[in-house]
Amino acid sequence: MTTPDHTFAVQTGTAPDGILYVTVAGDLAWDSADELLDATRARFGPGSTPAALRVDCGGLTLCDSTGLSALLALHRLAEAADVPLRLDRRPPFLDRLLLLTGTYEHLTGRSAESAGPDGGAPGGAAEGPRPLVP
């Protein structure tokens, strides 16, 4: 029996309007969470604070407790810099995790009641456009 290859990948890019786009794919877990944080933190600094932080979660295949911790750390980083954070294209499993852990409203800015029956966006529609990473 072979296991699926869910290698983690992260890409970052800043759009001309100053929005930092971070695209993640694969398993956000104990062995990849630091990669996400390091790639994002590298784009924050004196004179290089983005206008907003948009994380495209559409390619995630798994998010464990360490992955959730990384998302919470991104939220703290963005909040400390007064940068709005948005988690776009969250898969239903991620919304269910956020609902189960009580972090849905904290990380999405939406009430838990606004989540669809499967934990995703109402009507199954993914939130936010698929950002293009320059």
Side-chain angles (χ1 to χ4, degrees):
M1 180 172 164
T2 62
T3 58
D5 180 18
H6 294 170
T7 304
F8 184 76
V10 61
Q11 292 180 313
T12 62
T14 303
D17 59 3
I19 297 174
L20 173 58
Y21 288 97
V22 177
T23 302
V24 292
D27 293 351
L28 181 55
W30 67 272
D31 58 345
S32 59
D34 285 340
E35 187 177 345
L36 170 60
L37 292 173
D38 292 344
T40 306
R41 285 181 185 135
R43 298 296 196 123
F44 279 74
S48 65
T49 302
L53 174 57
R54 306 270 310 253
V55 180
D56 178 3
C57 301
L60 283 181
T61 51
L62 177 134
C63 183
D64 72 3
S65 60
T66 307
L68 176 59
S69 179
L71 294 176
L72 291 166
L74 285 183
H75 183 272
R76 287 189 301 273
L77 174 68
E79 195 170 65
D82 200 27
V83 171
L85 167 68
R86 216 167 135 175
L87 302 179
D88 293 326
R89 297 183 349 106
R90 297 182 311 274
F93 75 83
L94 181 57
D95 275 355
R96 284 191 302 274
L97 175 65
L98 301 180
L99 288 165
L100 180 67
T101 58
T103 58
Y104 183 87
E105 188 170 342
H106 184 69
L107 287 174
T108 69
R110 301 173 58 127
S111 71
E113 291 79 32
S114 68
D118 64 352
E127 287 184 40
R130 180 182 186 122
L132 299 174
V133 176

